[in-house]
Amino acid sequence: MGVRGLQGFVGSTCPHICTVVNFKELAEHHRSKYPGCTPTIVVDAMCCLRYWYTPDSWICGGQWREYFSALRGFVKTFTAVGIKLIFFFDGMVEQDKRDEWVKRRLKNNREISRIFHYIKSHKEQPGRNMFFIPSGLAVFTRFALKTLGQETLCSLQEADYEVASYGLQHNCLGILGEDTDYLIYDTCPYFSISELCLESLDTIMLCREKLCESLGLCVADLPLLACLLGNDIIPEGMFESFRYKCLSSYTSVKENFDKKGNIILAVSDHISKVLHLYQGEKKLEELLPLGPNKALFYKGMASYLLPGQKSPWFFQKPKNVITLDKQVISMSSDPESRQEVPMCTDPESRQEVPMCTDPESRQEVSMCTDPESRQEVPMCTDPESRQEVPMCTGPESRQEVLMWTDSESRQEIIMYTGHESKQEVPVCTDPISKQEDSMCTHPEINQKLPIATDPEFKLICTNPEIKQEDPANMGLEIKQQVTMVSDTEILKVARAHHVQAESYLVYNIMSSGEIECSNTLEDELDQALPSQAFIYRPIRQRVYSLLLENCQDVASTCPAVKEWFVYPGNPLRHPDLVRPLQMTVPGGTPSLRILWLNQEPEIQVRRLDTLLACFNLASSREELQAVESPFQALCCLLIYLFVQVDTLCLEDLHAFIAQALCLQGKSTSQLVNLQPDYINSRAVQLGSLLVRGLTTLVLVNSACGFPWKMSDFMPWNVFDGKLFHQKYLQSEKGYAVEVLLEQNRSRLTKFHNLKAVVCKACMKENRRITGRVHWGSHHAGRWGRQGSGSHRTGSGYSRSGQGQPWRDQGPGSRQYEHDQWRRY
């Protein structure tokens, strides 16, 4: 994460860059300098998850009550000294950073393999040196913070850019995180979460000005340095030979410094003594070995420029073309496309006009001037029809629209540029008046949504009445104005829920048709339990058909959703292409307008019916409605799991239900002191599997218009890892139900009621839950029942009727249908 080698360099070579500071003192100084303005810290939440997760146990699926308590203590400590916290979460993975995302996921897979090897060898949790955060931690942390009354936002692009932008625009006290990119951004001060002592509120401030002083650079040079060293956009190997050339000619190599430290010093020396000599006279591509990677390099450079900033390293900025509020960006992010962006000059307007040529389609995008609005209007030439298609622009929006075709994805892409940023000015008010500290809490939330197009990604025109209120705040990433749905009002609602961290994956599906899920504690050598990615896929497929409403028509051809889900054996070279799956809702599938916008009381029934249809459990509606909160959602999830996976047995069901009932009567301190006799690898997988099911419930509940309260399936209310592990070990040994329930008679009645609901619903699907002693041979390494009525989870792995083990199938980019194995 961040700039390659910079973290170690700062710690070992330039420790003076790090200064011990106290947040309480900084807040007092901020209040005296800006009277009436609440000191605010922007928190990069994804960087803080490891710091926040303080429970000793992490292997069993998560100690969620303990974690919630730790979060509450964190928030309370800052609130006590008058500091406001704004939390940002990653809401998407940008395409330029997908390779880096994949690399980290594959590295995590190797770590997970070592974890399971340790568990099987020692029957205990590995040490903290092998710590792996519990599944779903990022998702549930958002809801935990919102429950604690904190402002929690989800990004529409890379979170670090939005964090840095927010900190700069809102005059924040600083940024709290653990990412050296915050040393590169020219924004407010950067504080380390890993060095934070919560009791004293002391931490380390990393000063970019001192870094520049040590390297002989200015702040405006830091993006160039970051790209030459390598970051999440620029692969480390791109400038490897260049760095060694700098090192070989560097005369001040320090013997006591490590190799990476000397490379950073050498590259900085080259920038200050060589590149500065030609700055403003020669283009960077004449001074650096960019080759075919020029576009990617410039995009990496520009990714550090915040709204209103510009770089002195861009030799000649094209006018009114690829500028967002004085920000320069590259026309293409594809390093392999080798696209050049030639400039031609219009003799009448005397303005440079971009010509973007797709090497495959030979399609050119030229600019013409609208005589009425006096704006440049891009003209798109169709190579087949040879007709020029004007792109609509709005005279009121004062924006130009640029379109070109990406050579790899074959998608037409729109780019908005603005003459005026029209940024809203933050207004600090007296915190006692309980007024907001700024006019806009998030730069993206007030921006109007793009017009969606048909699912085949063919963009024709934007709506001239749609105004982009603040194009600068779109950031430097080229925005694909292509969506999977056609209802802009619905898309706007989904976007608002996304930004306010009230939903999960819904907006990603509707806007880009691409989602991802990180690693889960799953044993790749265990053939008996399938990956959560496959088990919950049929639910996601039904959600796709709900969110992509044109897919509900049988005759229509709906595009597949790209799933980047991590599971054992998946090299993640390509996404899995998963098509929507139709579902049956009593009375017909309601539209999203009905589910999301209609406030009539009777619609709540339809929302619930739709949710149950996503799990294919409409027939069990009455039984589930009779279950009290918060067990209704849990029962729904358990029914689905036991219908899907035949290697789950009665003892597993007893453990799941017993831990949920016993959790209600336990305090956080009791859970802290709980210690399972030993660690069982299968129980570890089951704990993670259930938690991933809870995140799936968040997705379904969001898509269906929130028929259930989110609190009903927050893990701190229904699941505790150690408690489940204890109940699993007891159940596996054949302990009586009374023992599992800790001799509590009131729980016994609830236990039998919940068990009856699950077993009855499973019987409707011809699934009889038996004890382990009744298992047949087909449970040894298979999942899903054999026979004409059986199926897998609809993962699309078209297997033969012999019941081939699920892990034998190789992943790829093929399209996945709901295949012949389907049980429903």
Side-chain angles (χ1 to χ4, degrees):
M1 183 180 293
V3 183
R4 303 291 186 270
L6 189 56
Q7 186 71 45
F9 174 79
V10 168
S12 60
T13 308
C14 298
H16 65 282
I17 294 171
C18 307
T19 306
V20 178
V21 294
N22 182 269
F23 277 126
K24 184 177 180 180
E25 295 173 359
L26 291 175
E28 291 172 352
H29 176 72
H30 190 274
R31 274 188 289 266
S32 63
K33 188 175 181 180
Y34 305 102
C37 188
T38 304
T40 302
I41 294 177
V42 197
V43 183
D44 186 337
M46 302 301 288
C47 295
C48 301
L49 294 177
R50 287 175 174 265
Y51 176 89
W52 288 332
Y53 191 85
T54 56
D56 292 332
S57 175
W58 48 270
I59 199 73
C60 298
Q63 302 310 113
W64 296 97
R65 285 268 180 91
E66 296 177 55
Y67 180 64
F68 188 87
S69 179
L71 281 178
R72 182 167 49 208
F74 180 88
V75 169
K76 186 177 180 180
T77 302
F78 281 91
T79 304
V81 296
I83 295 177
K84 180 181 179 180
L85 301 174
I86 305 287
F87 298 88
F88 274 83
F89 286 81
D90 275 326
M92 61 167 290
V93 176
E94 294 183 2
Q95 292 305 315
D96 294 318
K97 299 191 177 183
R98 179 62 71 186
D99 288 345
E100 185 64 28
W101 184 89
V102 167
K103 187 188 300 182
R104 291 173 187 167
R105 303 292 81 75
L106 296 178
K107 179 176 180 288
N108 288 346
N109 277 342
R110 295 190 291 270
E111 294 173 356
I112 289 173
S113 295
R114 289 194 292 269
I115 288 172
F116 275 101
H117 178 75
Y118 186 94
I119 293 172
K120 293 173 182 177
S121 303
H122 299 83
K123 293 190 179 298
E124 65 181 17
Q125 176 179 279
R128 193 77 178 187
N129 61 312
M130 296 177 74
F131 172 72
F132 196 86
I133 63 173
S135 299
L137 192 67
V139 177
F140 292 118
T141 302
R142 303 179 201 173
F143 292 98
L145 291 169
K146 293 183 78 67
T147 302
L148 293 168
Q150 298 303 293
E151 185 169 352
T152 308
L153 302 170
C154 198
S155 70
L156 289 162
Q157 59 191 92
E158 192 70 20
D160 58 6
Y161 182 88
E162 293 195 15
V163 166
S165 298
Y166 191 98
L168 176 67
Q169 293 175 1
H170 293 80
N171 192 30
C172 291
L173 187 64
I175 294 168
L176 185 60
E178 202 67 32
D179 189 337
T180 46
D181 277 333
Y182 293 125
L183 268 174
I184 307 301
Y185 287 112
D186 188 3
T187 182
C188 58
Y190 161 44
F191 306 107
S192 168
I193 182 65
S194 64
E195 300 294 335
L196 175 63
C197 174
L198 198 58
E199 290 76 17
S200 63
L201 280 180
D202 288 337
T203 190
I204 297 297
M205 181 178 73
L206 292 88
C207 181
R208 62 184 64 87
E209 287 75 16
K210 289 184 179 179
L211 174 64
C212 290
E213 185 180 334
S214 300
L215 299 177
L217 303 175
C218 59
V219 173
D221 298 328
L222 292 179
L224 176 60
L225 175 67
C227 291
L228 292 176
L229 295 177
N231 54 26
D232 288 350
I233 293 180
I234 308 297
E236 190 173 9
M238 184 182 293
F239 292 104
E240 187 172 12
S241 59
F242 169 78
R243 290 193 294 270
Y244 279 100
K245 284 183 181 178
C246 292
L247 185 63
S248 63
S249 61
Y250 184 51
T251 56
S252 304
V253 172
K254 305 291 196 320
E255 293 183 1
N256 57 326
F257 290 171
D258 62 12
K259 185 177 180 181
K260 286 189 175 181
N262 277 317
I263 286 177
I264 292 175
L265 291 170
V267 173
S268 301
D269 185 70
H270 185 83
I271 293 173
S272 63
K273 294 181 179 177
V274 178
L275 300 186
H276 273 173
L277 294 177
Y278 301 98
Q279 191 172 10
E281 298 177 9
K282 291 186 177 181
K283 298 179 181 180
L284 265 178
E285 56 261 34
E286 297 175 14
L287 302 172
L288 296 173
L290 300 184
N293 300 310
K294 181 172 69 173
L296 183 64
F297 173 77
Y298 278 114
K299 187 164 190 176
M301 284 271 291
S303 69
Y304 289 109
L305 300 182
L306 303 178
Q309 296 179 351
K310 59 182 179 180
S311 171
W313 288 104
F314 291 112
F315 174 67
Q316 187 175 10
K317 186 178 67 174
K319 297 178 182 178
N320 300 328
V321 177
I322 49 175
T323 302
L324 292 182
D325 189 30
K326 299 183 181 180
Q327 302 171 53
V328 183
I329 71 171
S330 162
M331 293 286 288
S332 172
S333 62
D334 183 3
E336 298 179 359
S337 67
R338 305 192 180 188
Q339 288 187 351
E340 296 287 333
V341 184
M343 302 300 296
C344 69
T345 304
D346 184 340
E348 295 183 12
S349 65
R350 297 187 179 181
Q351 289 188 337
E352 292 180 328
V353 181
M355 298 290 294
C356 181
T357 305
D358 184 327
E360 293 184 21
S361 68
R362 300 174 184 253
Q363 181 175 330
E364 294 183 343
V365 180
S366 59
M367 303 293 291
C368 70
T369 304
D370 183 338
E372 295 183 11
S373 65
R374 297 187 179 180
Q375 290 186 315
E376 291 183 333
V377 180
M379 301 294 294
C380 174
T381 304
D382 187 335
E384 295 183 4
S385 65
R386 298 188 178 182
Q387 291 182 346
E388 291 186 326
V389 182
M391 297 299 298
C392 300
T393 60
E396 296 178 5
S397 68
R398 292 190 172 188
Q399 295 177 353
E400 296 163 354
V401 185
L402 178 65
M403 191 179 87
W404 71 92
T405 302
D406 178 65
S407 60
E408 184 176 24
S409 65
R410 308 291 298 162
Q411 296 179 12
E412 293 174 335
I413 299 179
I414 263 198
M415 180 72 197
Y416 286 95
T417 63
H419 298 281
E420 299 177 7
S421 71
K422 297 183 181 180
Q423 292 186 25
E424 294 180 337
V425 181
V427 178
C428 293
T429 60
D430 188 343
I432 300 178
S433 68
K434 298 184 180 179
Q435 294 180 355
E436 291 186 359
D437 295 320
S438 64
M439 295 296 291
C440 179
T441 58
H442 190 268
E444 293 279 359
I445 190 64
N446 289 328
Q447 187 176 319
K448 294 292 189 292
L449 295 174
I451 287 294
T453 62
D454 70 68
E456 295 302 319
F457 299 101
K458 293 181 180 178
L459 183 62
I460 299 301
C461 186
T462 57
N463 188 331
E465 296 180 4
I466 295 287
K467 299 177 184 178
Q468 301 283 346
E469 290 182 359
D470 191 353
N473 285 328
M474 290 177 66
L476 294 165
E477 189 65 28
I478 295 174
K479 296 296 181 182
Q480 277 188 225
Q481 303 300 315
V482 177
T483 59
M484 302 283 282
V485 298
S486 57
D487 191 328
T488 53
E489 185 178 1
I490 283 297
L491 194 62
K492 184 175 182 179
V493 174
R495 188 174 184 271
H497 284 154
H498 173 93
V499 168
Q500 295 300 329
E502 295 169 352
S503 65
Y504 171 58
L505 295 182
V506 169
Y507 182 68
N508 307 63
I509 295 165
M510 298 177 72
S511 61
S512 66
E514 187 169 21
I515 62 172
E516 56 274 323
C517 181
S518 189
N519 306 77
T520 305
L521 282 180
E522 296 174 338
D523 184 6
E524 63 181 356
L525 301 179
D526 184 355
Q527 294 283 318
L529 284 174
S531 171
Q532 64 88 20
F534 300 147
I535 291 177
Y536 298 117
R537 179 172 279 170
I539 299 175
R540 298 194 300 274
Q541 288 178 286
R542 295 185 184 99
V543 170
Y544 300 157
S545 72
L546 179 67
L547 297 178
L548 311 177
E549 293 179 292
N550 54 341
C551 303
Q552 295 171 15
D553 180 6
V554 180
S556 68
T557 56
C558 197
V561 173
K562 298 177 182 179
E563 289 190 350
W564 293 91
F565 274 59
V566 181
Y567 51 84
N570 183 7
L572 293 170
R573 295 190 188 97
H574 307 282
D576 293 339
L577 304 181
V578 181
R579 289 201 176 276
L581 174 66
Q582 283 188 306
M583 59 182 173
T584 304
V585 182
T589 304
S591 68
L592 293 180
R593 282 184 167 267
I594 292 175
L595 293 174
W596 293 8
L597 304 179
N598 193 318
Q599 301 303 318
E600 298 296 326
E602 61 270 16
I603 300 301
Q604 190 68 2
V605 175
R606 302 200 67 186
R607 293 188 183 106
L608 180 57
D609 284 341
T610 308
L611 181 147
L612 294 178
C614 290
F615 287 87
N616 209 34
L617 296 177
S619 62
S620 301
R621 179 173 175 270
E622 291 185 8
E623 291 89 343
L624 284 169
Q625 278 193 305
V627 176
E628 62 181 291
S629 298
F631 305 116
Q632 196 174 95
L634 180 65
C635 277
C636 175
L637 182 56
L638 290 177
I639 295 167
Y640 178 83
L641 278 176
F642 278 80
V643 169
Q644 287 292 306
V645 186
D646 273 3
T647 51
L648 293 176
C649 60
L650 200 58
E651 288 82 359
D652 300 327
L653 180 61
H654 288 176
F656 279 127
I657 297 176
Q659 74 84 28
L661 290 171
C662 292
L663 178 62
Q664 310 307 310
K666 293 195 181 295
S667 65
T668 302
S669 59
Q670 287 176 311
L671 295 170
V672 170
N673 296 324
L674 191 65
Q675 294 298 330
D677 294 337
Y678 61 93
I679 299 300
N680 178 287
S681 62
R682 185 172 184 274
V684 168
Q685 292 192 82
L686 290 181
S688 295
L689 180 60
L690 186 82
V691 172
R692 284 298 187 196
L694 295 176
T695 64
T696 304
L697 267 168
V698 175
L699 164 63
V700 178
N701 199 51
S702 306
C704 296
F706 307 99
W708 282 337
K709 293 185 298 183
M710 286 289 193
S711 60
D712 284 351
F713 39 91
M714 291 298 108
W716 48 88
N717 290 329
V718 294
F719 180 79
D720 179 89
K722 283 195 299 184
L723 184 59
F724 168 71
H725 219 90
Q726 182 191 66
K727 302 306 176 186
Y728 177 89
L729 296 178
Q730 291 175 346
S731 183
E732 187 184 43
K733 293 175 182 176
Y735 283 26
V737 171
E738 290 79 6
V739 177
L740 296 183
L741 299 174
E742 301 169 4
Q743 307 299 332
N744 188 306
R745 289 190 176 183
S746 64
R747 293 175 190 157
L748 188 60
T749 302
K750 293 180 181 179
F751 176 90
H752 287 299
N753 288 339
L754 296 179
K755 177 183 175 181
V757 169
V758 175
C759 290
K760 182 178 179 181
C762 288
M763 284 299 293
K764 290 181 180 180
E765 302 298 330
N766 298 317
R767 164 70 158 109
R768 182 170 173 264
I769 305 174
T770 60
R772 193 164 285 130
V773 293
H774 300 294
W775 279 8
S777 60
H778 69 280
H779 287 90
R782 306 284 192 263
W783 67 290
R785 292 184 293 127
Q786 307 304 310
S788 60
S790 68
H791 90 300
R792 305 302 183 261
T793 63
S795 63
Y797 288 91
S798 300
R799 284 158 289 192
S800 62
Q802 283 75 28
Q804 197 171 356
W806 69 275
R807 293 190 197 272
D808 291 348
Q809 301 302 311
S813 61
R814 55 167 290 187
Q815 295 196 358
Y816 299 137
E817 309 287 347
H818 201 63
D819 63 21
Q820 73 269 25
W821 288 105
R822 61 191 187 135
R823 188 189 299 277
Y824 300 133

